[in-house]
Amino acid sequence: MAVVPSDMMTGAPGGTAPPGSSEPTVARTRLRPAAALLFAVCAAGVAVTPLGGAASDPIPSPEQFFGFPMGAEGRLAHWDRMVDYFTLVGERSSRVAVREVGRTTLGHPYLLATISTPETIADLPRYQAQQRRLADPRRTSRAEAEAIARDGKAVVLIGANVHATEIGTNQGMNDLLHRLATERSRWVDHVLDNAIVLLIPSQNPDGQRMVVDWYRRNRGTPYEGSPLPELYQPYAGHDNNRDSYMLTQVETRHLNRVLYHEWLPEVYLDKHQMGSAFARIFVPPFKNPPNPNVDPLVWSEVNLLGQAMATRLHEAGKPGVIWGELYSAFWQGANNTNPWWHNMIGLLTETASARLATSVEQDRVDPQPPRGAGRHPRRTRRSPGGSGASLPPPRDTQYRMNYPRPWLGGRWTFADVVEYDRLATEGLLESVASNREMLKRNFFRMNRRTIERFAAGSPFAYLVPAPETQHDPAAATHLLQLLQAEAAEIYVADAPFAAGERRVAAGTYVVPLAQSFGRWVKDLLEPQVYPDIRWPSPRSPRDLPYDVTAWSLGMLMGVETLRVDEPFEAQLSPVAGAVAAPAGRVAGNPAAETWLLAPDSNRSSVAVNRLLAAGASVAWLRAPLDVAGADVAATRRIAPGTLVVRDAAPALVADVARKVGVQLEGRDLPAGATLLPLRSARLGVFEPWGGNRDAGWTRWVLEQHEFPYRRLRNADLRAPDLHDRFDVVILPEMGAAALIRGLRSQRVRPEYRGGIGVDGIRNLRRFVQAGGTLITLGNSARIAMDHLETPLTDRVRGARPGAFLAPGSIVRVAVDTEHPIGYGMPPEADAMFVGNGAYVSSSPSAVAATTAVVRYPNAPLLRSGWLIGEERLRGTGAVLEVRDGRGRIILHTFRVQHRGQTWGTFKLLFNAIRYGAALSPPATAPASPAVPPPPPPAGAEGGRQAL
């Protein structure tokens, strides 16, 4: 491994510009000991020369441009001005190219800056072509790869601020851009001579703008620490970095395009911030367990580069650097983890936060705790100065190999956040530049041995039967498109073939694993098995996962995928371009007055919403119906839940079928068909102040399927006569305290303080009894049970610690497909279960009022992930209808719309909305105006069992 001499680590901000330079000194408000050491090295004779454009067009420092240094107390650079600054630097520096990748959800620029030597910037397509060659060993020989590794440059992508309140990572990007664009030093030359640095200064510009505006509004008031009233990403909130394989949000798709289509970098760093409880920064290695589908060489290089960051921080004398704990090496789904299965080095830093740009104080602890004190620090004194109450002392001050100099408390400033982040980034860039050849050679090596690993089989490929043969053709098409979006190669069978003992039809899609990113395909499609780890001894408590333990995409989406272990021969054609969805069409009798639409696909909901909006009449068929054709052979049974459309002009029907991608069949029904008329629901989605991710995801799913709704706040539920305004109200997953009491701190602005209170609970009960439908999602079922007198008991509630664990697992459920809520579902489905409940009727008298539409069968349940205490779940209700007065509460007790991923269970939510509206008594007052789904942003895509 090449090592850069320590005297090359110079030119930190605070150095003096040499005489004659066109660039003024980049100053900091105060000089820390580590910075003073670097200043001394610079003064000893290592030249650090800022580099501008023409003499008349110097590049201002961030301090000059924004009017304050990055990290200044109480000061934040706004995204709009950052766009201006990055654009200016890109125009004036021959080392920098800045471009807009696309627009965000709210229409703001999403930027990428590319930084290297001027010669490299002038020849970027050549370097992108080199990355593509390294990513495909089938068209690149080892000799060619060695030449690219020897003569090429390592590509490192650094992204910041995906979580908008983690604002220090974003502010420091201005300093990093300026330093790499202007400084003449051995260190910067070394980085740029050996690397191409890609910067995404904010992966969430919408949230950055929101946070800065909010902070400025509240700065210097009693509400300076007030939480944001809304999600800082309009739909996903904090989940916006849990979208990397589903690509629901446009910002994720921008990042995905840079990663897997435009650049294929060897290294990606995702910069975050964490709480201030103990450590000051996390750097890799990650915690156990490692995901077994990742090449071990990824972990070696993750650890190498992570420790390069730790080394730089310790060189600067920084305490509180931790690794090997806190953050997962198993879970797929985060921005920083997804590259591992693409043989890239995905890295994460988590720097302790201040209160945005305001310093915090933390009680100090005894640096020499009494013998036996262990992890329980002794408070010694309150830290002086600062704003607001002092934080409790660090909860963990145990010295250990992966935390060799614990943080003991004290003052933590916004400048500290920016500086720690800067030092870690410097350590990474130096190590990437020093290990350029190794990183490029190993990227090629891992891609090559992925192909070799799967060429022999076990497994060899995954098959996806043709979408038109699947339960939901749109879901199957979208799954294939998601694989393509992250650079997986897909083929289609031109003729039938044999795969082992299985006969495979022509038109089947084949995803061979002997391709560079085959590990990712395998990990995404197979069932996950989370290891039951106890560390450091078998008697230790279980090491719980960081996030979910299951993400098997076919199960989540209700799509059949088939694993083939042994190699086979087939006549296949590569799929060029995105897999095309089956075309929508009209069939049957064009002169019929009735049109039939199957309910199986989620797209049928879009079609129904468009037809209702256009004035057509739509109803559910309530009982099976045998329909005869011209001959006996044409007779077929029409299933309950089939959508019956009337009062629709043929042109309207044809237009909806073509644009939505569904089939509408013209066929007259015999007299006496049992129908349940449908109408557009007066739908409200509750979302508390402070934001609720589950509500955000619910809104996203509804908008994608064109359900009009109104967002409800505390005052809406406190107002009387709720049923006069709404047919259906949705409560997202939340706790009773968040609903009833809401935000209580005196730091919260008064207009956002409080919850729905007792009046709101009373109104919800009256709403139901008057004929409304209340839909609860996930664990908000417990609110209905505890506060709305729903006669249910949760079998797993109160279980002893460790007796029941299901932290994000996929389980089997049985569906009553003859109940309206189950229309269009298969009899057996997969459900995403994330620490939810197991519900049964609380008394014999309650059984008559309760129907289990979906239940957990008395059989093995776990399909993917980790589940302890499964026996408690068997035989309980998963989706229940509880009748109360003239209305009902429909409890979706698992995550039917989890993070926009669970396409296979969306229909349970959609059907519950339609069912509630269909049975709602006529309103006595005009409906509240619903909010129609907004247009896509610029650059964006769209036998019953009682308990």
Side-chain angles (χ1 to χ4, degrees):
M1 179 179 71
V3 179
V4 178
S6 59
D7 65 352
M8 293 181 67
M9 197 58 218
T10 61
T16 303
S21 169
S22 62
E23 185 70 5
T25 301
V26 180
R28 287 200 178 265
T29 53
R30 56 184 175 141
L31 204 61
R32 297 183 176 278
L37 175 61
L38 289 173
F39 181 85
V41 173
C42 296
V46 180
V48 181
T49 307
L51 175 69
S56 58
D57 292 319
I59 297 174
S61 69
E63 182 173 3
Q64 291 168 324
F65 186 85
F66 295 102
F68 53 88
M70 298 300 98
E73 184 76 8
R75 304 297 298 273
L76 291 172
H78 194 279
W79 179 246
D80 294 352
R81 289 291 285 156
M82 284 188 63
V83 170
D84 293 341
Y85 185 63
F86 268 69
T87 302
L88 181 148
V89 174
E91 291 171 348
R92 296 186 181 181
S93 173
S94 58
R95 300 177 183 178
V96 179
V98 175
R99 72 179 182 88
E100 181 180 302
V101 178
R103 291 279 162 160
T104 65
T105 301
L106 299 182
H108 300 294
Y110 186 105
L111 297 186
L112 174 71
T114 305
I115 311 169
S116 193
T117 61
E119 296 77 17
T120 302
I121 294 298
D123 198 15
L124 291 179
R126 179 168 74 90
Y127 290 93
Q128 290 176 299
Q130 288 180 349
Q131 295 305 110
R132 288 193 292 272
R133 293 190 68 82
L134 292 179
D136 190 356
R138 294 164 301 184
R139 67 186 188 97
T140 307
S141 69
R142 297 191 187 194
E144 289 171 324
E146 285 292 338
I148 293 173
R150 182 177 60 253
D151 302 330
K153 294 191 172 187
V155 181
V156 52
L157 171 63
I158 302 175
N161 191 223
V162 66
H163 295 150
T165 51
E166 297 165 13
I167 195 74
T169 65
N170 161 260
Q171 303 290 285
M173 285 292 213
N174 295 304
D175 285 335
L176 179 60
L177 173 72
H178 179 259
R179 184 180 186 192
L180 295 178
T182 66
E183 184 177 291
R184 284 176 173 157
S185 67
R186 291 182 63 195
W187 187 84
V188 167
D189 287 348
H190 176 66
V191 169
L192 300 187
D193 286 345
N194 290 281
I196 297 171
V197 182
L198 309 174
L199 300 183
I200 300 178
S202 177
Q203 297 176 111
N204 182 9
D206 296 341
Q208 201 272 6
R209 298 175 83 257
M210 184 187 301
V211 166
V212 174
D213 288 342
W214 182 250
Y215 181 76
R216 289 176 177 176
R217 175 185 177 186
N218 293 303
R219 171 72 173 157
T221 75
Y223 313 117
E224 185 167 330
S226 180
L228 287 164
E230 303 278 5
L231 294 172
Y232 54 59
Q233 199 281 342
Y235 300 107
H238 196 79
D239 278 349
N240 62 345
N241 79 322
R242 287 148 171 83
D243 189 41
S244 67
Y245 57 78
M246 206 66 199
L247 304 178
T248 66
Q249 304 304 304
V250 65
E251 296 86 359
T252 318
R253 296 195 290 274
H254 292 332
L255 173 64
N256 180 82
R257 187 163 70 251
V258 173
L259 273 170
Y260 304 124
H261 293 274
E262 295 179 357
W263 272 107
L264 298 158
E266 287 88 10
V267 180
Y268 168 55
L269 169 63
D270 195 12
K271 294 160 62 150
H272 285 251
Q273 290 172 224
M274 58 182 179
S276 294
F278 73 113
R280 298 298 89 186
I281 189 170
F282 164 87
V283 297
F286 293 87
K287 66 176 284 189
N288 282 316
N291 186 292
N293 285 323
V294 176
D295 191 308
L297 188 50
V298 166
W299 302 131
S300 296
E301 293 187 348
V302 163
N303 298 347
L304 171 71
L305 297 180
Q307 287 304 286
M309 292 190 275
T311 298
R312 181 71 193 100
L313 287 154
H314 284 146
E315 281 178 351
K318 300 299 182 184
V321 183
I322 195 168
W323 57 86
E325 300 180 28
L326 306 176
Y327 297 102
S328 172
F330 182 84
W331 164 57
Q332 181 171 166
N335 291 350
N336 72 283
T337 65
N338 190 275
W340 297 336
W341 292 270
H342 292 77
N343 299 319
M344 300 172 185
I345 311 309
L347 301 166
L348 172 73
T349 57
E350 293 270 1
T351 307
S353 295
R355 289 194 179 99
L356 296 181
T358 302
S359 299
V360 295
E361 307 294 336
Q362 186 172 30
D363 289 348
R364 298 180 184 274
V365 297
D366 189 343
Q368 301 263 337
R371 187 179 298 275
R375 290 174 180 255
H376 304 285
R378 183 176 64 184
R379 179 182 297 186
T380 57
R381 60 188 176 87
R382 193 170 288 275
S383 180
S387 69
S390 179
L391 298 175
R395 67 171 188 260
D396 180 359
T397 57
Q398 179 67 55
Y399 293 80
R400 48 194 183 274
M401 281 299 295
N402 62 320
Y403 193 34
R405 189 183 174 195
W407 167 258
L408 302 177
R411 189 165 191 255
W412 183 249
T413 68
F414 189 44
D416 292 322
V417 177
V418 173
E419 185 175 14
Y420 269 65
D421 179 74
R422 172 181 66 80
L423 291 167
T425 304
E426 288 176 355
L428 171 66
L429 292 178
E430 180 176 347
S431 187
V432 167
S434 300
N435 293 283
R436 168 182 57 83
E437 286 193 45
M438 181 195 72
L439 291 168
K440 300 190 78 64
R441 186 172 60 246
N442 285 341
F443 180 49
F444 176 81
R445 175 177 286 118
M446 287 186 284
N447 291 325
R448 188 186 73 237
R449 67 189 190 191
T450 298
I451 295 171
E452 294 169 350
R453 153 70 179 85
F454 293 114
S458 296
F460 181 71
Y462 274 87
L463 308 180
V464 181
E468 56 268 23
T469 69
Q470 300 254 7
H471 185 82
D472 185 345
T477 301
H478 194 62
L479 182 146
L480 292 164
Q481 292 170 344
L482 288 173
L483 295 178
Q484 291 178 300
E486 297 201 21
E489 297 171 359
I490 296 177
Y491 298 80
V492 64
D494 298 325
F497 65 94
E501 298 182 357
R502 180 183 288 118
R503 191 68 182 166
V504 181
T508 297
Y509 287 90
V510 179
V511 190
L513 298 185
Q515 56 177 294
S516 297
F517 301 154
R519 295 177 182 274
W520 178 74
V521 174
K522 177 177 183 289
D523 196 70
L524 196 62
L525 297 183
E526 72 180 3
Q528 279 71 55
V529 179
Y530 189 83
D532 192 353
I533 288 182
R534 296 173 184 267
W535 180 262
S537 77
R539 293 183 299 278
S540 299
R542 285 188 173 95
D543 191 359
L544 299 180
Y546 178 76
D547 201 88
V548 300
T549 61
W551 47 86
S552 308
L553 198 57
M555 297 180 192
L556 291 174
M557 298 185 71
V559 175
E560 182 183 17
T561 63
L562 305 169
R563 170 174 161 150
V564 178
D565 280 333
E566 299 303 319
F568 56 81
E569 293 185 0
Q571 184 178 333
L572 307 176
S573 294
V575 178
V579 173
R585 65 189 184 94
V586 294
N589 179 8
E593 295 182 356
T594 301
W595 299 85
L596 303 182
L597 173 62
D600 299 352
S601 174
N602 291 329
R603 298 296 292 169
S604 67
S605 290
V606 179
V608 169
N609 286 329
R610 291 191 185 183
L611 289 165
L612 289 172
S617 299
V618 184
W620 269 326
L621 183 67
R622 289 288 284 122
L625 188 66
D626 291 325
V627 179
D631 53 55
V632 175
T635 301
R636 63 186 176 88
R637 171 156 289 196
I638 301 176
T642 297
L643 294 148
V644 180
V645 181
R646 290 173 173 158
D647 304 321
L652 170 65
V653 172
D655 185 67
V656 169
R658 178 176 57 84
K659 291 181 178 177
V660 178
V662 295
Q663 175 176 297
L664 282 145
E665 178 188 2
R667 184 182 284 268
D668 290 324
L669 296 184
T674 305
L675 302 177
L676 177 61
L678 303 179
R679 60 185 175 87
S680 291
R682 299 175 303 157
L683 175 62
V685 179
F686 179 74
E687 186 164 357
W689 294 119
N692 176 289
R693 282 174 279 174
D694 201 58
W697 284 118
T698 302
R699 289 188 286 103
W700 185 85
V701 169
L702 293 175
E703 289 177 19
Q704 296 304 301
H705 295 85
E706 302 184 16
F707 281 87
Y709 68 89
R710 179 179 165 189
R711 185 151 50 160
L712 305 181
R713 301 296 192 178
N714 298 329
D716 296 302
L717 297 191
R718 288 196 299 263
D721 302 322
L722 194 59
H723 183 253
D724 290 342
R725 294 174 285 128
F726 297 97
D727 302 309
V728 179
V729 171
I730 297 176
L731 282 186
E733 172 144 335
M734 61 191 308
L739 175 68
I740 299 170
R741 296 197 297 271
L743 301 173
R744 303 291 294 174
S745 169
Q746 292 303 303
R747 293 189 294 113
V748 176
R749 296 191 70 90
E751 60 267 37
Y752 303 119
R753 200 177 296 160
I756 71 168
V758 175
D759 289 342
I761 291 293
R762 185 183 299 115
N763 285 340
L764 284 174
R765 185 76 192 280
R766 289 172 177 169
F767 166 74
V768 171
Q769 292 179 330
T773 295
L774 177 66
I775 297 174
T776 67
L777 301 180
N779 287 333
S780 62
R782 292 169 182 159
I783 297 173
M785 189 173 68
D786 293 343
H787 298 279
L788 299 176
E789 301 182 23
T790 304
L792 298 173
T793 299
D794 182 359
R795 277 189 186 174
V796 303
R797 198 176 194 179
R800 61 178 176 79
F804 183 80
L805 289 172
S809 304
I810 300 174
V811 298
R812 189 188 318 271
V813 293
V815 183
D816 178 358
T817 59
E818 295 188 359
H819 189 288
I821 297 173
Y823 284 164
M825 291 289 294
E828 186 176 281
D830 294 311
M832 189 66 181
F833 191 100
V834 187
N836 302 124
Y839 295 91
V840 296
S841 294
S842 58
S843 66
S845 62
V847 171
T850 304
T851 300
V853 182
V854 182
R855 57 188 173 83
Y856 302 107
N858 282 302
L861 299 179
L862 182 63
R863 295 267 284 148
S864 182
W866 193 37
L867 177 58
I868 293 174
E870 179 182 294
E871 65 283 355
R872 294 173 180 261
L873 197 56
R874 293 179 184 175
T876 65
V879 177
L880 304 107
E881 178 191 6
V882 180
R883 292 169 290 282
D884 185 3
R886 301 174 69 191
R888 63 205 36 78
I889 300 176
I890 299 173
L891 304 99
H892 296 285
T893 69
F894 62 87
R895 300 277 189 91
V896 291
Q897 64 350 339
H898 175 73
R899 293 175 179 168
Q901 300 171 5
T902 51
W903 284 45
T905 53
F906 285 173
K907 279 188 289 292
L908 295 170
L909 174 60
F910 301 158
N911 288 344
I913 294 169
R914 296 205 191 283
Y915 181 58
L919 299 185
S920 179
T924 59
S928 291
V931 178
E941 302 310 37
R944 217 153 289 141
Q945 176 173 327
L947 297 182

